[in-house]
Amino acid sequence: MLDKDAHDSPTGPKGKIITGHTKEFQSDTIGFLTRLAKEYGDVAKLRLGPFQNVYLISDPDLIKQILVTKQKSFLKSKDFDSLKPLIGEGLITSDKDFHMRQRRLIQPSFKKTHISNYAQDMIDITKEYISTWKNGEERIITEDTMSLALGIVSKTMFSTELKDGYNLIGEPIDEVMKVAVKRMRNLFQLPLWIPTKSNREYKKVLERLDTVIYNIIEGRREDAKSHEDMLGILMEARDEVDGLGMSDQQVRDEVMTIFLAGHDTTATLLSWTLYLLSQNPEVEAKLFHEIDTVIGNRTPTPDDFMKLTYTQNIIWESLRIYPPLYVLSRKAAEDVSLGNYHFKKGDMFLLSSYVMHHKPEYFDQPESFIPERFENNYLKTIPPFAYFPFGGGPRVCIGNHFALMEAVLVLACIAQQYRIKLAPDHHEVKPLPLLTLRPKSGLRMIVEERNNG
């Protein structure tokens, strides 16, 4: 028996007998998790449903143990199973040896040399897209960032153009996502084989998506040419251990995973960044100064990425305030100890980057938008998992460098030409925690041309 002391029993609010804290968690996820951490400390206990013990972990060292040092004792939790009809056994949903094998096969797609090639596509697509904007017009900027991110992932992954990418894949993915998130939030999910109206619609859209993806894969198999896009790299990849490539099913699952992760998260990040800039004119002025100094009136190039240090810090700070991946979940695969706490097999853990990024012990004035805080290698002065917008450990987001480069270059292209302001009669801007942390009801913004000579 393990010795127990007072610190070994996490506490939390008393929940309902049957549903536990499900209602509070679903109705105000961010507020509920933030209050839990403040009131109950680094390990807070809650229940989702009658039997599921869940622990919110808000200590950087314990988060590191779950994601890195003791990661073999944990599995992905079952909440992401709702995404399996869409992304199958892709990187987000797969586990253990299969996950590591797929990761080895996919990693080459995200090498620095390939990302540099993708950077030119990011610039070209953004320049083309914003060239149709008119001075003084109001736009739904959340839809614009989705279209842009979708165009970029379509081009870098399949070499398809923006409009084709949305019609073929973007629209049905959005439809499927809405159903998947609803299913994730429900305590009791009806199996997909039960022919309810929503299940039938869900399966219909999935079939449409599968037809498109498998047609693209089949076309590539018959094409003798080598392609430098992500799909080409995935299809040619061979495992360094067993020498085998991916089946069509595996390629399809990873294509869906990268497509989903590659447009939703970056689009959300860009939306929040443009909103934060509209609310912080002094930061916006410094951004414009850097863009005008580094790029001036010429077309941005991939090499500009490394020179745009303040623009990078703006993205890091936006990721701090509104991290798209605001919570991760894990399930104990065995009995396990974390610090002085002891947990049972089957216990579930929530790790919230949103909660951690707003802790005043790590970030002075945590509610304020201060990109300068990331200067002078600030992240090296705080514990590694006080800030983790891309997760961490063996499951760290494989596209993190791609996403950072995309956000910086897209922002640079927009800021070179436009100032973006929130519409004067705008609704209150609040975060909506779906699969990613989106601005609730979207963002209506005015685009103004910059007269920068």
Side-chain angles (χ1 to χ4, degrees), residues 45-82:
K45 185 176 181 180
L46 62 147
R47 278 190 303 112
L48 298 178
F51 310 114
Q52 181 67 71
N53 282 334
V54 183
Y55 299 91
L56 174 66
I57 308 294
S58 305
D59 173 80
D61 186 55
L62 299 185
I63 292 172
K64 182 180 178 181
Q65 288 182 46
I66 291 173
L67 295 180
V68 184
T69 52
K70 295 188 176 182
Q71 55 90 15
K72 288 185 178 176
S73 297
F74 298 90
L75 297 165
K76 289 286 283 189
S77 60
K78 294 291 181 188
D79 51 347
F80 272 86
D81 283 358
S82 296

Short mmCIF file of all heavy atoms in Angstrom, two decimals, residues 45-82:
data_model
loop_
_atom_site.label_atom_id
_atom_site.label_comp_id
_atom_site.label_asym_id
_atom_site.label_seq_id
_atom_site.Cartn_x
_atom_site.Cartn_y
_atom_site.Cartn_z
N LYS A 45 -10.53 17.89 -8.82
CA LYS A 45 -11.33 16.72 -9.18
C LYS A 45 -12.72 17.14 -9.65
O LYS A 45 -13.35 18.03 -9.08
CB LYS A 45 -11.47 15.78 -7.98
CG LYS A 45 -12.18 14.47 -8.29
CD LYS A 45 -12.19 13.57 -7.06
CE LYS A 45 -12.88 12.24 -7.36
NZ LYS A 45 -12.90 11.36 -6.17
N LEU A 46 -13.19 16.53 -10.73
CA LEU A 46 -14.57 16.73 -11.20
C LEU A 46 -15.08 15.41 -11.76
O LEU A 46 -14.33 14.45 -11.89
CB LEU A 46 -14.62 17.83 -12.26
CG LEU A 46 -13.86 17.62 -13.58
CD1 LEU A 46 -14.60 18.28 -14.74
CD2 LEU A 46 -12.45 18.23 -13.49
N ARG A 47 -16.38 15.39 -12.07
CA ARG A 47 -16.97 14.20 -12.68
C ARG A 47 -17.73 14.58 -13.93
O ARG A 47 -18.47 15.56 -13.94
CB ARG A 47 -17.93 13.49 -11.70
CG ARG A 47 -17.27 12.60 -10.70
CD ARG A 47 -18.27 11.74 -9.94
NE ARG A 47 -19.28 12.51 -9.25
CZ ARG A 47 -20.57 12.52 -9.59
NH1 ARG A 47 -21.01 11.77 -10.62
NH2 ARG A 47 -21.45 13.26 -8.94
N LEU A 48 -17.56 13.81 -14.99
CA LEU A 48 -18.36 13.96 -16.20
C LEU A 48 -19.15 12.68 -16.36
O LEU A 48 -18.64 11.67 -16.83
CB LEU A 48 -17.47 14.22 -17.42
CG LEU A 48 -16.62 15.50 -17.37
CD1 LEU A 48 -15.75 15.63 -18.61
CD2 LEU A 48 -17.50 16.74 -17.22
N GLY A 49 -20.41 12.71 -15.90
CA GLY A 49 -21.21 11.49 -15.88
C GLY A 49 -21.14 10.84 -14.51
O GLY A 49 -20.43 11.31 -13.61
N PRO A 50 -21.85 9.72 -14.32
CA PRO A 50 -21.96 9.13 -12.99
C PRO A 50 -20.69 8.48 -12.46
O PRO A 50 -20.47 8.43 -11.26
CB PRO A 50 -23.08 8.09 -13.16
CG PRO A 50 -23.15 7.82 -14.63
CD PRO A 50 -22.68 9.05 -15.33
N PHE A 51 -19.83 7.96 -13.34
CA PHE A 51 -18.71 7.16 -12.85
C PHE A 51 -17.33 7.71 -13.24
O PHE A 51 -16.32 7.23 -12.74
CB PHE A 51 -18.82 5.71 -13.37
CG PHE A 51 -20.17 5.10 -13.14
CD1 PHE A 51 -21.00 4.78 -14.20
CD2 PHE A 51 -20.62 4.87 -11.84
CE1 PHE A 51 -22.26 4.23 -13.98
CE2 PHE A 51 -21.87 4.31 -11.62
CZ PHE A 51 -22.69 3.99 -12.69
N GLN A 52 -17.28 8.66 -14.17
CA GLN A 52 -16.00 9.07 -14.71
C GLN A 52 -15.31 10.12 -13.84
O GLN A 52 -15.72 11.27 -13.78
CB GLN A 52 -16.18 9.65 -16.13
CG GLN A 52 -14.88 10.08 -16.81
CD GLN A 52 -13.95 8.92 -17.12
OE1 GLN A 52 -14.21 8.12 -18.00
NE2 GLN A 52 -12.86 8.82 -16.38
N ASN A 53 -14.24 9.69 -13.14
CA ASN A 53 -13.43 10.64 -12.38
C ASN A 53 -12.49 11.37 -13.34
O ASN A 53 -11.79 10.75 -14.14
CB ASN A 53 -12.59 9.92 -11.32
CG ASN A 53 -13.42 9.55 -10.12
OD1 ASN A 53 -14.43 10.19 -9.83
ND2 ASN A 53 -13.00 8.52 -9.40
N VAL A 54 -12.51 12.69 -13.27
CA VAL A 54 -11.70 13.53 -14.15
C VAL A 54 -10.89 14.48 -13.27
O VAL A 54 -11.38 14.98 -12.25
CB VAL A 54 -12.59 14.34 -15.12
CG1 VAL A 54 -11.73 15.15 -16.08
CG2 VAL A 54 -13.53 13.42 -15.89
N TYR A 55 -9.64 14.72 -13.68
CA TYR A 55 -8.78 15.62 -12.92
C TYR A 55 -8.22 16.70 -13.83
O TYR A 55 -7.64 16.40 -14.88
CB TYR A 55 -7.63 14.83 -12.28
CG TYR A 55 -8.12 13.77 -11.32
CD1 TYR A 55 -8.37 12.46 -11.76
CD2 TYR A 55 -8.37 14.07 -9.99
CE1 TYR A 55 -8.85 11.49 -10.90
CE2 TYR A 55 -8.85 13.11 -9.12
CZ TYR A 55 -9.09 11.82 -9.58
OH TYR A 55 -9.57 10.86 -8.72
N LEU A 56 -8.44 17.96 -13.44
CA LEU A 56 -7.83 19.08 -14.14
C LEU A 56 -6.44 19.29 -13.55
O LEU A 56 -6.30 19.58 -12.36
CB LEU A 56 -8.67 20.35 -13.99
CG LEU A 56 -8.05 21.62 -14.57
CD1 LEU A 56 -7.92 21.52 -16.10
CD2 LEU A 56 -8.85 22.86 -14.18
N ILE A 57 -5.42 19.14 -14.39
CA ILE A 57 -4.03 19.28 -13.94
C ILE A 57 -3.51 20.66 -14.38
O ILE A 57 -3.48 20.96 -15.56
CB ILE A 57 -3.14 18.17 -14.55
CG1 ILE A 57 -3.75 16.78 -14.30
CG2 ILE A 57 -1.71 18.27 -14.02
CD1 ILE A 57 -3.81 16.36 -12.86
N SER A 58 -3.11 21.48 -13.39
CA SER A 58 -2.67 22.84 -13.70
C SER A 58 -1.29 23.14 -13.13
O SER A 58 -0.99 24.27 -12.74
CB SER A 58 -3.69 23.86 -13.15
OG SER A 58 -4.97 23.57 -13.64
N ASP A 59 -0.47 22.12 -13.07
CA ASP A 59 0.92 22.27 -12.61
C ASP A 59 1.85 21.86 -13.75
O ASP A 59 1.71 20.76 -14.28
CB ASP A 59 1.16 21.38 -11.39
CG ASP A 59 2.63 21.38 -10.97
OD1 ASP A 59 3.05 22.33 -10.30
OD2 ASP A 59 3.36 20.43 -11.36
N PRO A 60 2.80 22.73 -14.15
CA PRO A 60 3.65 22.43 -15.31
C PRO A 60 4.41 21.11 -15.19
O PRO A 60 4.53 20.38 -16.17
CB PRO A 60 4.62 23.61 -15.38
CG PRO A 60 3.97 24.70 -14.62
CD PRO A 60 3.13 24.04 -13.57
N ASP A 61 4.90 20.79 -13.99
CA ASP A 61 5.68 19.57 -13.83
C ASP A 61 4.80 18.32 -13.99
O ASP A 61 5.21 17.33 -14.61
CB ASP A 61 6.38 19.55 -12.47
CG ASP A 61 7.32 18.36 -12.35
OD1 ASP A 61 8.19 18.21 -13.23
OD2 ASP A 61 7.16 17.56 -11.40
N LEU A 62 3.57 18.38 -13.45
CA LEU A 62 2.66 17.23 -13.58
C LEU A 62 2.20 17.08 -15.03
O LEU A 62 2.04 15.96 -15.52
CB LEU A 62 1.46 17.40 -12.65
CG LEU A 62 1.76 17.47 -11.14
CD1 LEU A 62 0.47 17.51 -10.34
CD2 LEU A 62 2.64 16.30 -10.69
N ILE A 63 1.99 18.20 -15.72
CA ILE A 63 1.63 18.14 -17.15
C ILE A 63 2.77 17.49 -17.93
O ILE A 63 2.54 16.65 -18.80
CB ILE A 63 1.32 19.55 -17.68
CG1 ILE A 63 0.03 20.08 -17.04
CG2 ILE A 63 1.20 19.55 -19.21
CD1 ILE A 63 -0.28 21.53 -17.34
N LYS A 64 4.00 17.87 -17.59
CA LYS A 64 5.17 17.28 -18.26
C LYS A 64 5.22 15.77 -18.03
O LYS A 64 5.54 15.00 -18.95
CB LYS A 64 6.45 17.94 -17.76
CG LYS A 64 7.70 17.41 -18.45
CD LYS A 64 8.95 18.10 -17.92
CE LYS A 64 10.20 17.53 -18.59
NZ LYS A 64 11.44 18.15 -18.07
N GLN A 65 4.89 15.33 -16.81
CA GLN A 65 4.90 13.89 -16.53
C GLN A 65 3.89 13.16 -17.42
O GLN A 65 4.17 12.09 -17.96
CB GLN A 65 4.58 13.65 -15.06
CG GLN A 65 5.74 14.03 -14.12
CD GLN A 65 5.42 13.73 -12.67
OE1 GLN A 65 4.92 12.65 -12.34
NE2 GLN A 65 5.70 14.68 -11.79
N ILE A 66 2.69 13.75 -17.58
CA ILE A 66 1.65 13.10 -18.39
C ILE A 66 2.04 13.06 -19.86
O ILE A 66 1.87 12.04 -20.54
CB ILE A 66 0.30 13.83 -18.20
CG1 ILE A 66 -0.22 13.60 -16.78
CG2 ILE A 66 -0.73 13.33 -19.22
CD1 ILE A 66 -1.46 14.42 -16.43
N LEU A 67 2.58 14.17 -20.37
CA LEU A 67 2.87 14.27 -21.81
C LEU A 67 4.24 13.74 -22.21
O LEU A 67 4.44 13.36 -23.37
CB LEU A 67 2.75 15.73 -22.26
CG LEU A 67 1.36 16.37 -22.18
CD1 LEU A 67 1.40 17.80 -22.67
CD2 LEU A 67 0.33 15.57 -22.97
N VAL A 68 5.18 13.71 -21.26
CA VAL A 68 6.56 13.35 -21.63
C VAL A 68 7.10 12.19 -20.81
O VAL A 68 7.23 11.08 -21.30
CB VAL A 68 7.50 14.58 -21.50
CG1 VAL A 68 8.91 14.22 -21.99
CG2 VAL A 68 6.97 15.77 -22.29
N THR A 69 7.41 12.46 -19.54
CA THR A 69 8.21 11.47 -18.79
C THR A 69 7.44 10.18 -18.47
O THR A 69 8.04 9.11 -18.40
CB THR A 69 8.74 12.09 -17.47
OG1 THR A 69 7.66 12.69 -16.75
CG2 THR A 69 9.79 13.14 -17.75
N LYS A 70 6.12 10.28 -18.28
CA LYS A 70 5.33 9.07 -18.01
C LYS A 70 4.27 8.84 -19.09
O LYS A 70 3.24 8.20 -18.84
CB LYS A 70 4.66 9.18 -16.63
CG LYS A 70 5.66 9.22 -15.48
CD LYS A 70 4.97 9.14 -14.13
CE LYS A 70 6.00 9.10 -13.01
NZ LYS A 70 5.37 8.97 -11.67
N GLN A 71 4.52 9.36 -20.30
CA GLN A 71 3.48 9.32 -21.33
C GLN A 71 3.04 7.90 -21.70
O GLN A 71 1.92 7.69 -22.15
CB GLN A 71 3.94 10.09 -22.59
CG GLN A 71 5.25 9.66 -23.19
CD GLN A 71 5.12 8.58 -24.24
OE1 GLN A 71 4.04 8.30 -24.74
NE2 GLN A 71 6.24 7.95 -24.57
N LYS A 72 3.89 6.91 -21.45
CA LYS A 72 3.51 5.53 -21.77
C LYS A 72 2.40 5.01 -20.85
O LYS A 72 1.78 3.99 -21.14
CB LYS A 72 4.73 4.62 -21.69
CG LYS A 72 5.69 4.87 -22.86
CD LYS A 72 6.84 3.90 -22.86
CE LYS A 72 7.75 4.15 -24.08
NZ LYS A 72 8.94 3.31 -24.07
N SER A 73 2.17 5.70 -19.74
CA SER A 73 1.10 5.30 -18.82
C SER A 73 -0.25 5.89 -19.20
O SER A 73 -1.25 5.68 -18.50
CB SER A 73 1.44 5.73 -17.39
OG SER A 73 2.60 5.08 -16.94
N PHE A 74 -0.27 6.65 -20.32
CA PHE A 74 -1.51 7.35 -20.69
C PHE A 74 -1.89 7.08 -22.14
O PHE A 74 -1.03 6.87 -22.99
CB PHE A 74 -1.34 8.86 -20.47
CG PHE A 74 -1.09 9.22 -19.04
CD1 PHE A 74 0.20 9.29 -18.54
CD2 PHE A 74 -2.15 9.46 -18.18
CE1 PHE A 74 0.43 9.59 -17.21
CE2 PHE A 74 -1.93 9.77 -16.85
CZ PHE A 74 -0.63 9.83 -16.36
N LEU A 75 -3.20 7.10 -22.39
CA LEU A 75 -3.75 6.96 -23.74
C LEU A 75 -4.54 8.22 -24.09
O LEU A 75 -4.91 8.99 -23.20
CB LEU A 75 -4.72 5.77 -23.80
CG LEU A 75 -4.15 4.38 -23.53
CD1 LEU A 75 -5.29 3.41 -23.27
CD2 LEU A 75 -3.31 3.93 -24.72
N LYS A 76 -4.81 8.40 -25.37
CA LYS A 76 -5.77 9.43 -25.76
C LYS A 76 -7.11 9.06 -25.14
O LYS A 76 -7.49 7.89 -25.12
CB LYS A 76 -5.93 9.47 -27.28
CG LYS A 76 -4.75 10.01 -28.04
CD LYS A 76 -4.61 11.51 -27.92
CE LYS A 76 -5.61 12.23 -28.80
NZ LYS A 76 -5.36 13.68 -28.87
N SER A 77 -7.83 10.04 -24.61
CA SER A 77 -9.12 9.72 -24.02
C SER A 77 -10.16 9.47 -25.12
O SER A 77 -9.95 9.82 -26.28
CB SER A 77 -9.59 10.85 -23.10
OG SER A 77 -9.70 12.04 -23.82
N LYS A 78 -11.28 8.88 -24.74
CA LYS A 78 -12.27 8.40 -25.71
C LYS A 78 -13.09 9.52 -26.36
O LYS A 78 -13.84 9.26 -27.30
CB LYS A 78 -13.24 7.41 -25.03
CG LYS A 78 -12.59 6.11 -24.58
CD LYS A 78 -12.17 5.27 -25.77
CE LYS A 78 -11.55 3.95 -25.34
NZ LYS A 78 -10.98 3.23 -26.48
N ASP A 79 -12.96 10.77 -25.86
CA ASP A 79 -13.82 11.82 -26.41
C ASP A 79 -13.54 12.06 -27.90
O ASP A 79 -14.41 12.50 -28.64
CB ASP A 79 -13.69 13.13 -25.62
CG ASP A 79 -12.26 13.58 -25.43
OD1 ASP A 79 -11.35 12.77 -25.68
OD2 ASP A 79 -12.04 14.74 -25.03
N PHE A 80 -12.31 11.73 -28.35
CA PHE A 80 -12.00 11.94 -29.75
C PHE A 80 -12.49 10.81 -30.65
O PHE A 80 -12.35 10.88 -31.86
CB PHE A 80 -10.48 12.15 -29.95
CG PHE A 80 -10.09 13.60 -29.80
CD1 PHE A 80 -9.81 14.12 -28.56
CD2 PHE A 80 -10.03 14.44 -30.91
CE1 PHE A 80 -9.47 15.46 -28.42
CE2 PHE A 80 -9.70 15.77 -30.77
CZ PHE A 80 -9.42 16.29 -29.53
N ASP A 81 -13.09 9.77 -30.05
CA ASP A 81 -13.64 8.69 -30.88
C ASP A 81 -14.74 9.20 -31.80
O ASP A 81 -15.00 8.60 -32.85
CB ASP A 81 -14.19 7.56 -29.98
CG ASP A 81 -13.06 6.70 -29.42
OD1 ASP A 81 -11.89 6.98 -29.76
OD2 ASP A 81 -13.35 5.78 -28.64
N SER A 82 -15.40 10.31 -31.41
CA SER A 82 -16.45 10.89 -32.26
C SER A 82 -15.88 11.37 -33.59
O SER A 82 -16.62 11.54 -34.56
CB SER A 82 -17.12 12.08 -31.56
OG SER A 82 -17.78 11.63 -30.40
#
